[in-house]
Amino acid sequence: ESEIQVYSSPITEKNETFIELHSNYTFKGINGLPDPSSARYLNESFEFTHGFGGNFELGFYVFGAFIPGKGYQYLGSHIRPRITVPEKWKWPFGASLSVEFGFERPIADSDYVWDGEIRPIIDKNFGPWYFSFNPNMDFVLNGNDKHLGITPQFKAVYTIQQKVGVGFEYYGTLGTFKEILPGNFQEHLLGPMVDLYCLRNWEFNSGFLFGLTPNSNHYIFKLILGRRFSKSQSK
């Protein structure tokens, strides 16, 4: 997994730039791998996002991984425009839409494919509780794995004194719009997570995901570190 994140609806503000490092390490892949060590990737993805105002931001990704026996490998890049529903519309929940597109290879020995995702984002606060649902759809436009897939994601967080959030995250891969996979062939990841809100210009999100089916990647540690920069900070 290059990027493991449930999105919230707010976007980067005008003239702000947000830089994130996404780190994910898989301790064990799917059940029955001939060589379990082949799944032990350390994914390192950089995301650069800039806010343009008018409820619009544009992100750019660089995907890479440290692969056993091969060192660091560049795996591809995506761009990600995103728009959000203005607050003046007074919707009872937050909403935005992200569309990600680019080229990527799943592993270092495979060919690049054109791929991406369409990610609606719906979230809501209830006192100290926060919930976000991303009914995500991933797609591959060429190659043997060409598809439009169903990959929902969900996050629930309880905030303690507005400084620490604890909760869980869920990630699913159910199949495609043409064919829903049988249960054992689906991927379902679930695990505890923590967010830190101590400093406005920093982001910290970490968690540990457990695979719930034989075809899930098992035992994934995830860490997101982010830093926000704005013109006012440089003055």
Side-chain angles (χ1 to χ4, degrees):
E1 300 282 352
S2 298
E3 180 203 17
I4 303 177
Q5 181 180 14
V6 179
Y7 283 39
S8 58
S9 63
I11 62 172
T12 307
E13 296 181 8
K14 183 178 181 180
N15 295 327
E16 285 191 341
T17 299
F18 202 61
I19 300 176
E20 289 180 321
L21 172 64
H22 298 253
S23 303
N24 310 312
Y25 184 78
T26 303
F27 289 88
K28 180 183 176 182
I30 63 175
N31 291 348
L33 280 177
D35 179 13
S37 66
S38 65
R40 293 172 191 155
Y41 280 27
L42 173 60
N43 284 284
E44 296 285 358
S45 299
F46 290 91
E47 179 183 0
F48 307 87
T49 305
H50 187 76
F52 290 89
N55 303 295
F56 174 76
E57 70 176 21
L58 183 64
F60 174 73
Y61 291 93
V62 176
F63 301 128
F66 289 94
I67 299 172
K70 296 182 180 179
Y72 180 81
Q73 300 285 324
Y74 170 72
L75 298 180
S77 293
H78 282 180
I79 60 170
R80 181 186 52 76
R82 181 153 74 110
I83 57 173
T84 188
V85 171
E87 290 185 5
K88 65 182 180 181
W89 290 11
K90 299 186 182 302
W91 283 21
F93 52 84
S96 62
L97 177 65
S98 168
V99 179
E100 192 173 311
F101 179 69
F103 58 92
E104 190 176 6
R105 50 181 175 168
I107 58 175
D109 296 331
S110 62
D111 294 329
Y112 287 102
V113 296
W114 293 102
D115 69 343
E117 65 178 28
I118 302 168
R119 181 188 294 264
I121 302 151
I122 302 167
D123 62 1
K124 179 74 173 177
N125 285 292
F126 295 94
W129 285 97
Y130 168 79
F131 300 94
S132 180
F133 177 49
N134 298 178
N136 195 43
M137 296 164 283
D138 74 315
F139 60 84
V140 176
L141 299 180
N142 64 304
N144 296 329
D145 190 35
K146 184 165 59 174
H147 70 270
L148 176 60
I150 304 171
T151 53
Q153 303 174 2
F154 181 77
K155 176 175 182 173
V157 180
Y158 183 83
T159 302
I160 302 171
Q161 296 184 346
Q162 299 181 334
K163 293 182 178 180
V164 180
V166 292
F168 71 89
E169 294 179 352
Y170 162 81
Y171 300 85
T173 301
L174 307 184
T176 70
F177 281 88
K178 288 186 177 180
E179 180 183 9
I180 300 297
L181 293 170
N184 284 345
F185 290 94
Q186 297 178 6
E187 182 174 32
H188 297 277
L189 302 172
L190 180 69
M193 53 72 58
V194 61
D195 286 319
L196 298 183
Y197 312 121
C198 303
L199 297 173
R200 176 188 179 275
N201 292 319
W202 288 91
E203 176 190 27
F204 177 94
N205 167 264
S206 186
F208 197 89
L209 298 169
F210 297 86
L212 304 181
T213 63
N215 205 46
S216 300
N217 284 292
H218 296 275
Y219 311 136
I220 299 175
F221 171 77
K222 56 160 288 190
L223 174 65
I224 301 174
L225 295 175
R227 177 71 162 89
R228 180 181 287 105
F229 299 89
S230 63
K231 286 186 177 181
S232 60
Q233 290 175 285
S234 62
K235 293 180 180 180

